[in-house]
Amino acid sequence: MKRMLLLLVPLCLCHSAFAADDLTSRANKLFKPIPTKAPPLKGNPATAAKLELGKKLFFDPRLSSSQLISCNTCHNVGLGGADLQETSTGHGWQKGPRNSPTVFNAVFDAAQFWDGRAKDLQTQAKGPVQAAVEMNSNPELVVKTLKSIPGYAPLFKAAFPRAADPIGFDNMAKAIEVFEATLLTPDSPFDRFLKGDAAALSAREKRGLRIFMDKGCAPCHAGTNVGGADYYPFGVREAPTTEIRPAGDTGRFMVTNTESDRYVFKAPSLRNVAVTQPYFHSGKVWKLRDAVTVMGSAQLGVKLKDGEVEDTVAFLKALTGKQPRLSYPLLPGSSDETPHPQLK
Ligand code: HEC
Ligand code: HEC
């Protein structure tokens, strides 16, 4: 009897170690940890000077015609890179049509915006500046404003030393891209688990991870960002209510004009999803557990049980990484030449 017990104990230990390894290796086939360093950017090598400039521009409300709204207004770096609004409020208190996605880790997404209409962060950054419901400015006004702020001249010169006329709209976007690419959230419990620390996830979070893989969430939400890689119809199996999926926003259809793209959206990254409520492009769902339930019925045609939903939510919470810690940048002062705010 004693001998048998002695034999059994190591066997049991082996078994649980094997089970953990199995989950780790399955997860490592689908997901990748968030790196701690910014990835290289195509055609836009990062330098310390570009980073410093890009950070200032991201926080500078003078990129908007009211001089009140900066990128950080809707992508608040202290609030998970988003704004906690259903849909964003921009120029003149106008409400835009879509929820503001986080800018954290966005550099790892295959394309930008809910409908992927910008191929990278650099192209993306020119959009909100000009959108009437966002910053309501235009390239001429932005360049005029930046040129009127004496402190920006040496910063642009240092960031773009070979340019004859460094202060320009494209260079603004390039600098912002370099800054955004540093807004990463590594070292979440899930990342530590992927790197081999089996104890980084609790039993409940591991159950959630299994559900996420076994029920079929992972095919659409995988890779480094646990999403952000491709587009899918919102409502593969069952159309969500028109409250959650408003009829007027047909997603990628508006970009490609292709019938099969009607109500197709980017499967968003689920990194830091627990701190970037509300959910979906409409921002109509506030509780993560409700978003998971909607995904079950809309994308998979299954009614997830309460316990399954809670376990999945626990796993999703383990995707919250170390948030970037930034010091608020000092912005160079305006001059007599600086255009005045236009509030209308
Ligand atoms: C008024 C609020 C508002 C302001 C200001 C704003 N954004 Fe956005 N941003 C949004 C919304 C809303 C979306 C989603 C729009 C869509 O998908 O059609 C978005 C999307 C993005 C995305 C895409 C993220 C993803 O996962 O697809 C990035 C990156 C981004 N904005 C960066 C910026 C930068 C840089 C600035 C400043 C130049 C800026 N934003 C200013 C509201 C705002
Ligand atoms: C067929 C692809 C697909 C499958 C399967 C899928 N999703 Fe999604 N997911 C999407 C798309 C597309 C969206 C964006 C919908 C929208 O807002 O238009 C989304 C959005 C979400 C959101 C909201 C994120 C945010 O920031 O607003 C969560 C949470 C989510 N999915 C979790 C899950 C879970 C959990 C499962 C499995 C039960 C799952 N998804 C299965 C494609 C999918």
PDB file of all heavy atoms in Angstrom, residues 273-294:
ATOM      1  N   VAL A 273      -9.007  44.723 -23.034  1.00  0.00           N
ATOM      2  CA  VAL A 273     -10.432  44.916 -23.299  1.00  0.00           C
ATOM      3  C   VAL A 273     -11.216  45.217 -22.014  1.00  0.00           C
ATOM      4  O   VAL A 273     -12.227  45.924 -22.040  1.00  0.00           O
ATOM      5  CB  VAL A 273     -11.002  43.686 -24.073  1.00  0.00           C
ATOM      6  CG1 VAL A 273     -11.104  42.453 -23.179  1.00  0.00           C
ATOM      7  CG2 VAL A 273     -12.330  44.009 -24.727  1.00  0.00           C
ATOM      8  N   ALA A 274     -10.703  44.721 -20.870  1.00  0.00           N
ATOM      9  CA  ALA A 274     -11.425  44.937 -19.612  1.00  0.00           C
ATOM     10  C   ALA A 274     -11.416  46.404 -19.178  1.00  0.00           C
ATOM     11  O   ALA A 274     -12.243  46.820 -18.369  1.00  0.00           O
ATOM     12  CB  ALA A 274     -10.820  44.066 -18.492  1.00  0.00           C
ATOM     13  N   VAL A 275     -10.495  47.209 -19.720  1.00  0.00           N
ATOM     14  CA  VAL A 275     -10.431  48.622 -19.308  1.00  0.00           C
ATOM     15  C   VAL A 275     -10.860  49.569 -20.432  1.00  0.00           C
ATOM     16  O   VAL A 275     -10.715  50.786 -20.309  1.00  0.00           O
ATOM     17  CB  VAL A 275      -9.027  49.018 -18.776  1.00  0.00           C
ATOM     18  CG1 VAL A 275      -8.696  48.226 -17.525  1.00  0.00           C
ATOM     19  CG2 VAL A 275      -7.941  48.832 -19.826  1.00  0.00           C
ATOM     20  N   THR A 276     -11.390  49.034 -21.531  1.00  0.00           N
ATOM     21  CA  THR A 276     -11.770  49.906 -22.649  1.00  0.00           C
ATOM     22  C   THR A 276     -13.245  49.768 -23.012  1.00  0.00           C
ATOM     23  O   THR A 276     -13.608  49.794 -24.179  1.00  0.00           O
ATOM     24  CB  THR A 276     -10.888  49.653 -23.895  1.00  0.00           C
ATOM     25  OG1 THR A 276     -11.023  48.271 -24.261  1.00  0.00           O
ATOM     26  CG2 THR A 276      -9.434  49.981 -23.642  1.00  0.00           C
ATOM     27  N   GLN A 277     -14.080  49.656 -21.992  1.00  0.00           N
ATOM     28  CA  GLN A 277     -15.514  49.640 -22.257  1.00  0.00           C
ATOM     29  C   GLN A 277     -15.958  51.022 -22.750  1.00  0.00           C
ATOM     30  O   GLN A 277     -15.232  51.991 -22.473  1.00  0.00           O
ATOM     31  CB  GLN A 277     -16.297  49.225 -20.999  1.00  0.00           C
ATOM     32  CG  GLN A 277     -16.063  50.089 -19.761  1.00  0.00           C
ATOM     33  CD  GLN A 277     -14.915  49.581 -18.931  1.00  0.00           C
ATOM     34  OE1 GLN A 277     -13.769  49.733 -19.327  1.00  0.00           O
ATOM     35  NE2 GLN A 277     -15.158  48.986 -17.801  1.00  0.00           N
ATOM     36  N   PRO A 278     -17.078  51.227 -23.396  1.00  0.00           N
ATOM     37  CA  PRO A 278     -18.023  50.191 -23.835  1.00  0.00           C
ATOM     38  C   PRO A 278     -17.557  49.493 -25.123  1.00  0.00           C
ATOM     39  O   PRO A 278     -16.564  49.887 -25.705  1.00  0.00           O
ATOM     40  CB  PRO A 278     -19.289  51.006 -24.088  1.00  0.00           C
ATOM     41  CG  PRO A 278     -18.789  52.347 -24.508  1.00  0.00           C
ATOM     42  CD  PRO A 278     -17.553  52.586 -23.720  1.00  0.00           C
ATOM     43  N   TYR A 279     -18.328  48.470 -25.519  1.00  0.00           N
ATOM     44  CA  TYR A 279     -17.864  47.555 -26.555  1.00  0.00           C
ATOM     45  C   TYR A 279     -18.615  47.645 -27.875  1.00  0.00           C
ATOM     46  O   TYR A 279     -19.729  48.134 -27.940  1.00  0.00           O
ATOM     47  CB  TYR A 279     -17.924  46.113 -26.023  1.00  0.00           C
ATOM     48  CG  TYR A 279     -17.082  46.015 -24.773  1.00  0.00           C
ATOM     49  CD1 TYR A 279     -17.660  45.802 -23.527  1.00  0.00           C
ATOM     50  CD2 TYR A 279     -15.713  46.242 -24.840  1.00  0.00           C
ATOM     51  CE1 TYR A 279     -16.882  45.779 -22.387  1.00  0.00           C
ATOM     52  CE2 TYR A 279     -14.927  46.222 -23.701  1.00  0.00           C
ATOM     53  CZ  TYR A 279     -15.510  45.989 -22.476  1.00  0.00           C
ATOM     54  OH  TYR A 279     -14.739  45.986 -21.356  1.00  0.00           O
ATOM     55  N   PHE A 280     -17.956  47.127 -28.872  1.00  0.00           N
ATOM     56  CA  PHE A 280     -18.382  47.050 -30.278  1.00  0.00           C
ATOM     57  C   PHE A 280     -18.252  48.415 -30.947  1.00  0.00           C
ATOM     58  O   PHE A 280     -18.064  49.432 -30.270  1.00  0.00           O
ATOM     59  CB  PHE A 280     -19.794  46.465 -30.417  1.00  0.00           C
ATOM     60  CG  PHE A 280     -19.875  45.064 -29.862  1.00  0.00           C
ATOM     61  CD1 PHE A 280     -20.806  44.721 -28.892  1.00  0.00           C
ATOM     62  CD2 PHE A 280     -18.978  44.091 -30.274  1.00  0.00           C
ATOM     63  CE1 PHE A 280     -20.856  43.440 -28.360  1.00  0.00           C
ATOM     64  CE2 PHE A 280     -19.014  42.802 -29.738  1.00  0.00           C
ATOM     65  CZ  PHE A 280     -19.958  42.481 -28.783  1.00  0.00           C
ATOM     66  N   HIS A 281     -18.335  48.436 -32.268  1.00  0.00           N
ATOM     67  CA  HIS A 281     -18.115  49.698 -32.987  1.00  0.00           C
ATOM     68  C   HIS A 281     -19.173  50.715 -32.606  1.00  0.00           C
ATOM     69  O   HIS A 281     -18.944  51.914 -32.693  1.00  0.00           O
ATOM     70  CB  HIS A 281     -18.070  49.466 -34.508  1.00  0.00           C
ATOM     71  CG  HIS A 281     -19.386  49.100 -35.121  1.00  0.00           C
ATOM     72  ND1 HIS A 281     -19.816  47.788 -35.226  1.00  0.00           N
ATOM     73  CD2 HIS A 281     -20.365  49.870 -35.639  1.00  0.00           C
ATOM     74  CE1 HIS A 281     -21.011  47.786 -35.802  1.00  0.00           C
ATOM     75  NE2 HIS A 281     -21.373  49.029 -36.066  1.00  0.00           N
ATOM     76  N   SER A 282     -20.326  50.226 -32.153  1.00  0.00           N
ATOM     77  CA  SER A 282     -21.408  51.128 -31.753  1.00  0.00           C
ATOM     78  C   SER A 282     -21.265  51.584 -30.304  1.00  0.00           C
ATOM     79  O   SER A 282     -21.926  52.529 -29.884  1.00  0.00           O
ATOM     80  CB  SER A 282     -22.746  50.402 -31.897  1.00  0.00           C
ATOM     81  OG  SER A 282     -22.736  49.237 -31.075  1.00  0.00           O
ATOM     82  N   GLY A 283     -20.434  50.914 -29.522  1.00  0.00           N
ATOM     83  CA  GLY A 283     -20.269  51.249 -28.113  1.00  0.00           C
ATOM     84  C   GLY A 283     -21.551  51.064 -27.308  1.00  0.00           C
ATOM     85  O   GLY A 283     -21.715  51.680 -26.245  1.00  0.00           O
ATOM     86  N   LYS A 284     -22.430  50.189 -27.755  1.00  0.00           N
ATOM     87  CA  LYS A 284     -23.735  50.062 -27.097  1.00  0.00           C
ATOM     88  C   LYS A 284     -23.734  49.058 -25.951  1.00  0.00           C
ATOM     89  O   LYS A 284     -24.705  48.948 -25.215  1.00  0.00           O
ATOM     90  CB  LYS A 284     -24.799  49.654 -28.119  1.00  0.00           C
ATOM     91  CG  LYS A 284     -25.218  50.784 -29.034  1.00  0.00           C
ATOM     92  CD  LYS A 284     -26.027  51.833 -28.282  1.00  0.00           C
ATOM     93  CE  LYS A 284     -26.462  52.951 -29.209  1.00  0.00           C
ATOM     94  NZ  LYS A 284     -27.005  54.105 -28.484  1.00  0.00           N
ATOM     95  N   VAL A 285     -22.663  48.304 -25.807  1.00  0.00           N
ATOM     96  CA  VAL A 285     -22.630  47.266 -24.769  1.00  0.00           C
ATOM     97  C   VAL A 285     -21.570  47.641 -23.736  1.00  0.00           C
ATOM     98  O   VAL A 285     -20.406  47.822 -24.071  1.00  0.00           O
ATOM     99  CB  VAL A 285     -22.326  45.881 -25.403  1.00  0.00           C
ATOM    100  CG1 VAL A 285     -22.100  44.830 -24.335  1.00  0.00           C
ATOM    101  CG2 VAL A 285     -23.460  45.476 -26.335  1.00  0.00           C
ATOM    102  N   TRP A 286     -21.995  47.783 -22.486  1.00  0.00           N
ATOM    103  CA  TRP A 286     -21.075  48.287 -21.461  1.00  0.00           C
ATOM    104  C   TRP A 286     -20.389  47.203 -20.651  1.00  0.00           C
ATOM    105  O   TRP A 286     -19.315  47.416 -20.111  1.00  0.00           O
ATOM    106  CB  TRP A 286     -21.818  49.248 -20.514  1.00  0.00           C
ATOM    107  CG  TRP A 286     -21.961  50.593 -21.151  1.00  0.00           C
ATOM    108  CD1 TRP A 286     -22.989  51.011 -21.963  1.00  0.00           C
ATOM    109  CD2 TRP A 286     -21.036  51.695 -21.076  1.00  0.00           C
ATOM    110  NE1 TRP A 286     -22.745  52.297 -22.393  1.00  0.00           N
ATOM    111  CE2 TRP A 286     -21.569  52.747 -21.853  1.00  0.00           C
ATOM    112  CE3 TRP A 286     -19.819  51.894 -20.427  1.00  0.00           C
ATOM    113  CZ2 TRP A 286     -20.924  53.978 -22.010  1.00  0.00           C
ATOM    114  CZ3 TRP A 286     -19.175  53.113 -20.569  1.00  0.00           C
ATOM    115  CH2 TRP A 286     -19.724  54.141 -21.349  1.00  0.00           C
ATOM    116  N   LYS A 287     -21.065  46.039 -20.525  1.00  0.00           N
ATOM    117  CA  LYS A 287     -20.472  45.004 -19.663  1.00  0.00           C
ATOM    118  C   LYS A 287     -19.765  43.965 -20.515  1.00  0.00           C
ATOM    119  O   LYS A 287     -20.326  43.472 -21.499  1.00  0.00           O
ATOM    120  CB  LYS A 287     -21.557  44.322 -18.842  1.00  0.00           C
ATOM    121  CG  LYS A 287     -22.156  45.257 -17.801  1.00  0.00           C
ATOM    122  CD  LYS A 287     -23.076  44.496 -16.877  1.00  0.00           C
ATOM    123  CE  LYS A 287     -23.711  45.470 -15.901  1.00  0.00           C
ATOM    124  NZ  LYS A 287     -25.157  45.262 -15.798  1.00  0.00           N
ATOM    125  N   LEU A 288     -18.543  43.625 -20.095  1.00  0.00           N
ATOM    126  CA  LEU A 288     -17.757  42.658 -20.854  1.00  0.00           C
ATOM    127  C   LEU A 288     -18.509  41.333 -20.963  1.00  0.00           C
ATOM    128  O   LEU A 288     -18.500  40.679 -21.998  1.00  0.00           O
ATOM    129  CB  LEU A 288     -16.385  42.484 -20.183  1.00  0.00           C
ATOM    130  CG  LEU A 288     -15.319  41.733 -20.965  1.00  0.00           C
ATOM    131  CD1 LEU A 288     -15.192  42.220 -22.395  1.00  0.00           C
ATOM    132  CD2 LEU A 288     -13.972  41.834 -20.249  1.00  0.00           C
ATOM    133  N   ARG A 289     -19.213  40.964 -19.864  1.00  0.00           N
ATOM    134  CA  ARG A 289     -19.908  39.679 -19.929  1.00  0.00           C
ATOM    135  C   ARG A 289     -21.018  39.709 -20.972  1.00  0.00           C
ATOM    136  O   ARG A 289     -21.274  38.716 -21.641  1.00  0.00           O
ATOM    137  CB  ARG A 289     -20.399  39.248 -18.547  1.00  0.00           C
ATOM    138  CG  ARG A 289     -21.685  39.807 -18.050  1.00  0.00           C
ATOM    139  CD  ARG A 289     -22.087  39.098 -16.757  1.00  0.00           C
ATOM    140  NE  ARG A 289     -21.473  39.771 -15.608  1.00  0.00           N
ATOM    141  CZ  ARG A 289     -22.067  40.762 -14.944  1.00  0.00           C
ATOM    142  NH1 ARG A 289     -23.272  41.170 -15.267  1.00  0.00           N
ATOM    143  NH2 ARG A 289     -21.454  41.348 -13.933  1.00  0.00           N
ATOM    144  N   ASP A 290     -21.641  40.866 -21.161  1.00  0.00           N
ATOM    145  CA  ASP A 290     -22.681  40.959 -22.197  1.00  0.00           C
ATOM    146  C   ASP A 290     -22.056  40.895 -23.597  1.00  0.00           C
ATOM    147  O   ASP A 290     -22.615  40.297 -24.513  1.00  0.00           O
ATOM    148  CB  ASP A 290     -23.491  42.259 -22.040  1.00  0.00           C
ATOM    149  CG  ASP A 290     -24.295  42.279 -20.734  1.00  0.00           C
ATOM    150  OD1 ASP A 290     -24.523  41.178 -20.171  1.00  0.00           O
ATOM    151  OD2 ASP A 290     -24.672  43.371 -20.270  1.00  0.00           O
ATOM    152  N   ALA A 291     -20.879  41.518 -23.737  1.00  0.00           N
ATOM    153  CA  ALA A 291     -20.198  41.469 -25.044  1.00  0.00           C
ATOM    154  C   ALA A 291     -19.850  40.020 -25.395  1.00  0.00           C
ATOM    155  O   ALA A 291     -20.005  39.591 -26.540  1.00  0.00           O
ATOM    156  CB  ALA A 291     -18.936  42.334 -25.015  1.00  0.00           C
ATOM    157  N   VAL A 292     -19.405  39.251 -24.389  1.00  0.00           N
ATOM    158  CA  VAL A 292     -19.050  37.841 -24.627  1.00  0.00           C
ATOM    159  C   VAL A 292     -20.299  37.051 -25.028  1.00  0.00           C
ATOM    160  O   VAL A 292     -20.269  36.246 -25.968  1.00  0.00           O
ATOM    161  CB  VAL A 292     -18.371  37.236 -23.371  1.00  0.00           C
ATOM    162  CG1 VAL A 292     -18.234  35.724 -23.491  1.00  0.00           C
ATOM    163  CG2 VAL A 292     -17.007  37.893 -23.138  1.00  0.00           C
ATOM    164  N   THR A 293     -21.420  37.310 -24.345  1.00  0.00           N
ATOM    165  CA  THR A 293     -22.660  36.609 -24.674  1.00  0.00           C
ATOM    166  C   THR A 293     -23.098  36.928 -26.104  1.00  0.00           C
ATOM    167  O   THR A 293     -23.494  36.027 -26.857  1.00  0.00           O
ATOM    168  CB  THR A 293     -23.779  37.018 -23.675  1.00  0.00           C
ATOM    169  OG1 THR A 293     -23.282  36.787 -22.361  1.00  0.00           O
ATOM    170  CG2 THR A 293     -25.046  36.224 -23.887  1.00  0.00           C
ATOM    171  N   VAL A 294     -22.999  38.211 -26.484  1.00  0.00           N
ATOM    172  CA  VAL A 294     -23.369  38.612 -27.852  1.00  0.00           C
ATOM    173  C   VAL A 294     -22.474  37.883 -28.857  1.00  0.00           C
ATOM    174  O   VAL A 294     -22.945  37.372 -29.876  1.00  0.00           O
ATOM    175  CB  VAL A 294     -23.238  40.142 -28.034  1.00  0.00           C
ATOM    176  CG1 VAL A 294     -23.322  40.535 -29.501  1.00  0.00           C
ATOM    177  CG2 VAL A 294     -24.295  40.874 -27.221  1.00  0.00           C
TER     178      VAL A 294
END
